[in-house]
Amino acid sequence: DDPALLRVLSHRLVQAGHPELARPLFERVLILRPEEPQSRRDLALVCSILKQYQHAIDLLWEIVAQPWDARFPEIEVIALGDLNAIVATCGERLDLSRIDARFLQNLSAGLRVILTWDADACDIDLWVDDPNGEQAIYSHPRTTQGGRMSRDFTGGYGPEEFLLRDPKPGKYTVRINYFGERSQTALGPVTAQIRLVTGFGTPDQKEKLLTMRLSEKRENVTVGEIEIGE
């Protein structure tokens, strides 16, 4: 009954290629933490992997349509991006009658980076360096290329998102900065999940999920590099 432990195990199962085992665990997290929008988003994304697209978009629409605590700034915007990408790429006819048609617009992106973590009352920051040497960070959320960093989550789970519609060719370095936490969990160190996505919202979408443990406050970790070709 530990939601943090269940989240970590579920993400590891997805990463290991067993989303069918992760789904009932994410469902358990939603029962335990229905007041947290991340519980719905995690379940929606694993449903999408399992090609259960209708259930996925219904869960994501619940995030968009409901008010949430101020601890979760703009999570509706990120969920809406997930929803539209599924509608645009799943290849199935879905029941969209619940969804306000004004929100149905796929905003594809050449590069998308998503950071989430398992512990509440925790601040982890996403940083992305582009080929120009410019860094997208919460204090500098807009880049010359048109990249956008989402609002800074300082109180629980993320997600923090970097989006760039038309990335310039070259190397993009993804970093996370463990600013600190104010809670104790059975897991000890905080576990972060990072999704690296190219061609987001297009038929050519490719994604890699990484998981890592962060144990030292003020720890700055280079997650990896993404090479965008000509």
Side-chain angles (χ1 to χ4, degrees):
D1 286 339
D2 185 328
L5 181 58
L6 288 169
R7 279 190 174 105
V8 174
L9 176 57
S10 301
H11 284 293
R12 286 298 179 99
L13 286 168
V14 172
Q15 191 178 9
H18 292 286
E20 76 284 357
L21 301 180
R23 175 176 171 159
L25 301 182
F26 280 132
E27 289 175 336
R28 180 65 180 162
V29 173
L30 180 54
I31 292 170
L32 294 170
R33 292 287 187 270
E35 75 280 5
E36 296 172 349
Q38 293 88 347
S39 302
R40 285 174 172 78
R41 183 174 182 270
D42 287 340
L43 179 56
L45 294 182
V46 82
C47 286
S48 178
I49 294 171
L50 294 168
K51 298 185 179 181
Q52 298 164 356
Y53 301 119
Q54 187 66 56
H55 191 40
I57 67 165
D58 288 344
L59 287 164
L60 291 167
W61 178 246
E62 289 177 8
I63 299 175
V64 177
Q66 294 183 33
W68 300 101
D69 189 272
R71 294 186 304 131
F72 312 119
E74 293 186 2
I75 193 168
E76 306 93 334
V77 176
I78 294 173
L80 189 61
D82 294 324
L83 186 158
N84 276 292
I86 292 171
V87 172
T89 62
C90 73
E92 294 185 7
R93 187 179 182 86
L94 302 173
D95 180 4
L96 307 177
S97 59
R98 296 178 57 195
I99 301 173
D100 188 326
R102 294 173 297 176
F103 291 98
L104 290 171
Q105 182 176 358
N106 184 34
L107 299 176
S108 59
L111 178 61
R112 188 195 201 205
V113 182
I114 291 277
L115 166 67
T116 60
W117 54 92
D118 63 82
D120 199 359
C122 181
D123 186 2
I124 302 177
D125 295 326
L126 174 64
W127 300 351
V128 179
D129 301 331
D130 70 17
N132 297 327
E134 189 174 9
Q135 184 176 77
I137 188 174
Y138 68 90
S139 57
H140 180 67
R142 307 272 183 169
T143 68
T144 304
Q145 274 200 76
R148 178 187 183 274
M149 185 68 72
S150 63
R151 293 273 299 278
D152 185 24
F153 268 74
T154 61
Y157 309 116
E160 294 191 6
E161 174 192 57
F162 174 77
L163 273 178
L164 180 54
R165 185 174 180 83
D166 187 17
K168 172 184 177 181
K171 186 183 296 182
Y172 295 78
T173 302
V174 179
R175 312 177 195 276
I176 54 177
N177 184 56
Y178 181 21
F179 189 81
E181 52 88 19
R182 303 180 299 280
S183 67
Q184 297 294 323
T185 71
L187 296 175
V190 177
T191 303
Q193 295 87 32
I194 306 94
R195 292 178 183 269
L196 310 177
V197 187
T198 56
F200 175 65
T202 75
D204 297 324
Q205 179 172 311
K206 295 180 181 179
E207 176 177 307
K208 186 172 184 179
L209 175 63
L210 305 173
T211 304
M212 60 179 54
R213 303 289 292 277
L214 302 173
S215 58
E216 299 294 331
K217 293 182 182 180
R218 305 288 180 175
E219 184 176 6
N220 187 291
V221 180
T222 297
V223 174
E225 297 175 340
I226 302 172
E227 188 79 29
I228 302 294
E230 294 288 347

